[in-house]
Amino acid sequence: LRDLWFCFRERPMIRLLFLAFIAVVMPITAQAQPRPDANAVLARDAENLAVMWQGRFDTANQVNFQERFNLPEEGWVARHHKVFARVDLPAFSPTVTYVEQYAGSPPDSLVRQRLYVHHVDAGVLKTDIYAFRGDDAEKVVGAHEDLSKPAGLTPSKMSKLPDGCAIFWQARGDMFLGTQTPDECLYTPEGFGMEVRLRDTITLTAESMTTQTEILDAKGETLMANDLGVSEVARKARLFTCMMLARNPDNEKGFERYAGIKTHDQGGEYEVQTAHNPPKELHVRLLNIVPPAGTSRNTFIMTLTEKNDLFPLARAFVAPDAERVAISIAGIEANCTADTGEAARF
């Protein structure tokens, strides 16, 4: 080795020949390495997109703070709860997502159902949107809990929104950015009675979905939009199973137990009517808050209230990633434990 180093250092011709060899061979070696197929990368992105969308998203956190910080009402977003479930519908694509959207406060009114069909088209990752026809929509309600409900659906049995309404995706690090072709989403929503133009931009991460939506008439006049340009931020929910104990001298056991109650940590709530005489109506709400930057810490809060009371009976504050939250006060105990595995999906 010492002799080789001496030749390399002391003999310029050998040094030049060695460097020329490196300059020629290295690019050939690099070119010989197989380059990843672009469509294969996009197909992997489609899979990752479907996985990231799986679950529930809710705007409760944003609604909570727009009220508390007295933001102008023209900039408020509405309460929405959205459920996304991967379904097996090979007639559409290997990656299909069933969607339900609820509105109201609490959001218990079903306002939209869709199929999102993710696929690679002409070198881009694209989501086509399908609407249900007639009573097919009612038949598949709750498909996130019974994945067999959409079985048998095919593209011919559904109404595909125009190609201009498709969402085109770009993977950017650990998020996806979705946009529509500008001003090309023209269609007549069911029950709307007129053709509209939809503009949607979506940013999807593992923690949240941010949407900027504008609806215009065919002439370009705005029919629906946030007056202050505020985007809707729906945070991903964790599911919890809850129970409640209520002391009750009218019961021979001395208490009433209510178990197996399902809810979530993004404004999820439940009520229990006890067997007291007269009965009590107890209300529990969970909210894992993410406050505006610089105002306070992220905190997971459970609130226990008796119906028609202005102030809560009690609140519990725990870390945002806590697996359990509980309250015990005046003969009432409420506790919720995070679901895991399959139970955590919906």
Side-chain angles (χ1 to χ4, degrees), residues 25-342:
V25 172
M26 290 300 289
I28 295 175
T29 304
Q31 292 173 11
Q33 298 298 319
R35 299 180 64 182
D37 179 75
N39 283 341
V41 172
L42 290 171
R44 181 198 63 198
D45 287 344
E47 183 70 25
N48 292 339
L49 176 67
V51 170
M52 192 174 288
W53 236 336
Q54 185 94 336
R56 295 173 177 265
F57 294 78
D58 200 296
T59 61
N61 181 74
Q62 187 176 17
V63 169
N64 173 65
F65 282 103
Q66 67 191 9
E67 296 173 355
R68 287 183 57 190
F69 283 84
N70 296 318
L71 297 180
E73 289 193 24
E74 59 267 28
W76 284 18
V77 302
R79 178 77 187 277
H80 289 139
H81 186 82
K82 306 173 185 182
V83 185
F84 298 85
R86 176 80 172 268
V87 290
D88 184 20
L89 292 172
F92 291 87
S93 164
T95 46
V96 181
T97 301
Y98 169 72
V99 184
E100 288 182 1
Q101 179 171 316
Y102 294 81
S105 187
D108 52 13
S109 177
L110 179 59
V111 295
R112 184 176 295 125
Q113 294 167 267
R114 293 285 189 265
L115 280 186
Y116 286 0
V117 178
H118 318 296
H119 62 106
V120 178
D121 181 19
V124 294
L125 176 56
K126 176 182 178 184
T127 296
D128 288 324
I129 303 173
Y130 287 79
F132 293 89
R133 296 177 186 165
D135 60 358
D136 281 348
E138 186 176 348
K139 292 177 182 177
V140 299
V141 171
H144 54 284
E145 296 174 334
D146 182 356
L147 298 178
S148 68
K149 285 189 173 184
L153 286 174
T154 62
S156 63
K157 296 179 180 179
M158 299 191 67
S159 298
K160 181 184 175 185
L161 270 61
D163 287 341
C165 298
I167 305 170
F168 295 90
W169 296 96
Q170 293 180 342
R172 296 189 176 179
D174 57 355
M175 69 175 63
F176 284 91
L177 176 63
T179 56
Q180 293 174 314
T181 304
D183 296 326
E184 290 192 12
C185 182
L186 280 165
Y187 77 108
T188 303
E190 185 176 351
F192 209 76
M194 63 180 295
E195 188 177 58
V196 300
R197 189 188 308 273
L198 177 66
R199 297 173 181 169
D200 248 352
T201 302
I202 303 172
T203 303
L204 182 65
T205 74
E207 294 81 29
S208 65
M209 176 172 58
T210 302
T211 308
Q212 182 78 57
T213 299
E214 188 177 9
I215 300 177
L216 307 94
D217 64 19
K219 297 179 180 179
E221 297 293 326
T222 299
L223 299 174
M224 187 182 302
N226 188 290
D227 290 344
L228 299 184
V230 177
S231 297
E232 177 188 279
V233 181
R235 298 199 62 81
K236 198 163 195 177
R238 286 192 300 158
L239 289 215
F240 283 74
T241 299
C242 305
M243 61 83 67
M244 183 181 289
L245 289 175
R247 187 183 301 160
N248 182 6
D250 300 325
N251 185 298
E252 61 181 14
K253 296 180 181 179
F255 65 90
E256 298 286 344
R257 185 174 188 271
Y258 311 86
I261 305 168
K262 296 289 186 179
T263 190
H264 59 86
D265 70 345
Q266 290 299 320
E269 46 196 308
Y270 65 90
E271 284 188 350
V272 167
Q273 186 175 66
T274 71
H276 290 78
N277 187 17
K280 294 183 178 181
E281 293 189 29
L282 302 171
H283 183 91
V284 174
R285 186 171 192 252
L286 305 181
L287 183 57
N288 211 331
I289 67 168
V290 179
T295 57
S296 59
R297 294 180 179 180
N298 296 2
T299 309
F300 185 9
I301 303 174
M302 170 188 273
T303 304
L304 172 65
T305 309
E306 189 166 357
K307 190 172 182 177
N308 298 324
D309 281 2
L310 292 176
F311 300 100
L313 291 171
R315 285 194 178 101
F317 300 83
V318 294
D321 59 352
E323 297 290 314
R324 185 170 181 268
V325 58
I327 287 174
S328 181
I329 182 173
I332 300 169
E333 178 185 326
N335 74 71
C336 296
T337 304
D339 293 346
T340 56
E342 284 297 302

